[in-house]
Amino acid sequence: MTESPGLSSPDNCASSDSDEESLRPGPLWRHALWAAGVTILGVGLGWADASFRLGSDEYGMPLAAPGQVRPYLVAWTATGLTAAAALRAVAARVPLHGPDVLAVIPTFMGTRLSLGFRPEPPVLGASAAAALTAAFIWCALALRRGFRGYRGRRAISGR
């Protein structure tokens, strides 16, 4: 019987549930490109949202305050790159659910809030630390679950 490679074996087929939570192996440049792209997306969306408004000024957060935006963009780019790199490194080792969302949303929200309210450096550092803490907790939970599952599979197989 001839079977097409990779399509009929249940081990090779990814269901819709496990497709999002799959390993992401690959060369280092692909991981770096993903981390940079996710960070640029988050910072860019935050900057665009702070620069333009479709509704009236009475609703929502304030637009970007006048002054320098570069320090805030650099701070959130560094924070986003750190979070994205950690998430991608874990996703290459164990299945991780939603690393892109967890990298984009805090980076976007931090950029947007920073450009609208222009916090002082301690407040900016605390918000960046909160975003990184969320990413690192997500990584730790995934690693704990992934390695526990690996040990369980190894014990079952008898090795």
Side-chain angles (χ1 to χ4, degrees), residues 116-138:
F117 295 108
R118 303 294 169 106
E120 295 294 321
V123 176
L124 181 65
S127 60
L132 290 174
T133 300
F136 292 151
I137 287 173
W138 197 257

Side-chain angles (χ1 to χ4, degrees), residues 20-76:
E20 185 167 329
E21 195 173 322
S22 61
L23 288 177
R24 291 165 174 85
L28 181 61
W29 66 266
R30 187 178 300 163
H31 297 301
L33 186 65
W34 181 88
V38 165
T39 302
I40 289 170
L41 178 68
V43 171
L45 285 175
W47 189 12
D49 191 42
S51 300
F52 305 105
R53 175 172 297 159
L54 298 175
S56 93
D57 291 341
E58 299 144 5
Y59 305 108
M61 294 189 328
L63 290 174
Q68 288 290 329
V69 298
R70 243 182 221 148
Y72 299 102
L73 295 178
V74 168
W76 282 103

